[in-house]
């Protein structure tokens, strides 16, 4: 059944062009079907019925764009999401990285920080946090603002505790945060080596060299061309033998440089840049 908020491909292109010209965000290489669905959902929530009206709001209402951006980017995240991935990092990746005197890790598409806080806990337990600098980036400024507060909704902590235990966690999970009303505030000590800053994988470049890059559950929203471009960006941002972790439903298959990576774990999607 067709929805009154459905937009056709031409309208979609016009909206993408408008956003690029007006706000500098380029969504032209996002997977079109799901991107269109998210725009339709957004229009329905905002009570906007036509593409014309949506363009009018985007052109004339900057706060609306902030809300729109928040609605069309998928921000779903968790602490210790996919516990098997964190177990694998703990058992196979971090012992190798322990030989570096200084470590640099990049979380690309970090959303509201839950994945980054999980990494900090892991590094703390493996004795590596003090010599690690974590760069956590996202295109969405609202996500970064939230991440910088270190606040995670308390209601999710039960699930996260379960994830943490499954991932091989060594302590009481509750020792890493303070509960205050409906929030859990992640300990400041865990957050002190994390730098949250904006970076758009579509338009921004290499900004450092890393021993580990985590970009999980982000590539899935891009078309094959953009996935390939971003894998090049990661390759160029990794030190030789550096690790790349992507989401468990994602793959390097669309990349013309997939042969420049060794597969470290096919199930948890961890790869290693060849020399
Ligand atoms: C589903 S969340 C994944 C969060 C986290 N990595 C995880 O796996 O739990 C996807 C994130 O990618 C971000 N994102 C989407 N397009 C991006 C881009 N072009 N550059 C940087 N981040 C992007 C979104 O803002 C969102 O925060």
């Amino acid at each position: 059944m067709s929805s009154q908020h459905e937009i056709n491909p031409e309208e979609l292109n016009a909206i993408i062009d408008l956003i690029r010209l007006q706000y500098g965000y380029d969504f032209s290489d996002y997977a079109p079907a799901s991107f269109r669905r998210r725009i339709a959902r957004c229009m329905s929530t905002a009570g906007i019925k036509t593409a014309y009206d949506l363009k009018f709001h985007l052109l004339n209402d900057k706060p609306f764009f902030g809300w729109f951006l928040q609605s069309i980017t998928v921000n779903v995240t968790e602490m210790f999401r996919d516990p098997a991935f964190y177990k694998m990092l703990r058992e196979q990746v971090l012992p190798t990285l322990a030989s570096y005197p200084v470590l640099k890790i990049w979380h690309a598409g970090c959303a509201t920080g839950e994945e980054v806080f999980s990494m900090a806990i892991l590094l703390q337990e493996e004795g590596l946090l003090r010599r690690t600098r974590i760069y956590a980036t996202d295109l969405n400024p609202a996500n970064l603002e939230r991440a910088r507060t270190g606040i995670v909704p308390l209601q999710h902590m039960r699930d996260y505790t379960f994830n943490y235990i499954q991932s091989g966690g060594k302590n009481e999970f509750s020792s890493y945060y303070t509960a205050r009303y409906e929030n859990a505030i992640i300990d400041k000590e865990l957050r002190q080596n994390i730098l949250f800053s904006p970076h758009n994988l579509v338009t921004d470049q290499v900004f450092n060299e890393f021993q580990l890059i985590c970009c999980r559950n982000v590539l899935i929203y891009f078309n094959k061309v953009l996935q390939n471009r971003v894998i090049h960006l990661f390759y160029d941002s990794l030190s030789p033998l550096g690790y790349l972790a992507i989401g468990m439903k994602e793959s390097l298959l669309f990349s013309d440089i997939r042969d420049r990576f060794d597969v470290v774990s096919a199930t948890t999607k961890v790869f290693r840049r060849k020399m």
Side-chain angles (χ1 to χ4, degrees):
M1 203 173 71
S2 82
S3 132
Q4 61 178 332
H5 302 102
E6 222 163 68
I7 48 173
N8 65 40
E10 291 85 62
E11 289 170 333
L12 179 70
N13 289 340
I15 289 162
I16 288 172
D17 284 350
L18 186 159
I19 295 171
R20 194 181 61 248
L21 293 171
Q22 184 89 353
Y23 297 101
Y25 293 95
D26 185 356
F27 291 108
S28 45
D29 280 322
Y30 279 54
S34 63
F35 193 64
R36 222 161 76 205
R37 259 197 319 274
R38 291 200 298 282
I39 291 190
R41 206 179 44 216
C42 186
M43 288 168 71
S44 156
T45 311
I48 294 172
K49 293 203 169 52
T50 64
Y52 180 86
D53 288 343
L54 176 62
K55 284 190 281 184
F56 181 84
H57 277 86
L58 289 171
L59 266 177
N60 296 299
D61 187 348
K62 207 172 165 196
F64 173 80
F65 178 72
W67 174 83
F68 178 81
L69 187 65
Q70 188 69 11
S71 315
I72 53 167
T73 54
V74 180
N75 305 305
V76 178
T77 188
E78 271 176 38
M79 288 187 78
F80 290 94
R81 185 179 196 173
D82 306 319
F85 163 68
Y86 287 92
K87 197 163 198 298
M88 193 273 162
L89 279 187
R90 189 192 290 274
E91 290 172 357
Q92 289 183 54
V93 174
L94 295 190
T96 317
L97 294 181
S99 61
Y100 288 85
V102 177
L103 278 177
K104 279 183 276 178
I105 297 178
W106 178 18
H107 286 267
C110 66
T112 39
E114 282 79 345
E115 173 185 274
V116 192
F117 304 142
S118 311
M119 178 66 80
I121 291 172
L122 196 58
L123 290 164
Q124 168 89 315
E125 293 185 359
E126 299 308 309
L128 297 173
L129 185 61
R130 286 170 70 101
R131 57 180 147 123
T132 305
R133 186 84 175 140
I134 304 179
Y135 298 80
T137 63
D138 202 278
L139 102 168
N140 186 339
N143 281 348
L144 294 167
E145 224 169 275
R146 170 72 186 224
R148 286 188 195 105
T149 64
I151 290 176
V152 175
L154 194 59
Q155 61 183 14
H156 299 311
M157 283 319 211
R158 231 171 101 162
D159 291 341
Y160 297 168
T161 304
F162 182 72
N163 285 354
Y164 168 74
I165 293 167
Q166 297 276 97
S167 78
K170 292 180 174 171
N171 291 327
E172 279 291 324
F173 188 56
S174 58
S175 67
Y176 293 117
Y177 63 85
T178 308
R180 197 171 297 161
Y181 304 105
E182 279 99 54
N183 294 323
I185 304 157
I186 304 294
D187 282 357
K188 225 175 175 166
E189 204 183 301
L190 285 169
R191 294 185 279 131
Q192 65 189 1
N193 291 355
I194 305 173
L195 183 71
F196 287 103
S197 57
H199 183 281
N200 187 335
L201 290 165
V202 180
T203 42
D204 295 332
Q205 307 302 318
V206 173
F207 63 95
N208 215 318
E209 187 178 289
F210 302 94
Q211 284 73 50
L212 168 62
I213 297 176
C214 293
C215 182
R216 308 189 67 231
N217 310 300
V218 180
L219 293 176
I220 203 166
Y221 301 107
F222 299 167
N223 69 15
K224 292 172 190 174
V225 173
L226 182 55
Q227 290 194 26
N228 183 42
R229 232 169 53 218
V230 172
I231 297 301
H232 275 263
L233 171 69
F234 291 154
Y235 182 87
D236 294 338
S237 305
L238 278 172
S239 60
L241 299 180
Y243 292 90
L244 172 64
I246 60 177
M248 307 249 287
K249 293 193 195 99
E250 294 166 338
S251 110
L252 293 192
L253 273 183
F254 304 124
S255 172
D256 55 13
I257 54 166
R258 58 187 176 275
D259 294 343
R260 295 197 213 159
F261 291 90
D262 284 320
V263 179
V264 181
S265 163
T267 45
T268 58
K269 300 291 169 68
V270 178
F271 303 87
R272 195 171 196 192
R273 190 192 132 136
K274 294 180 181 170
M275 288 294 285

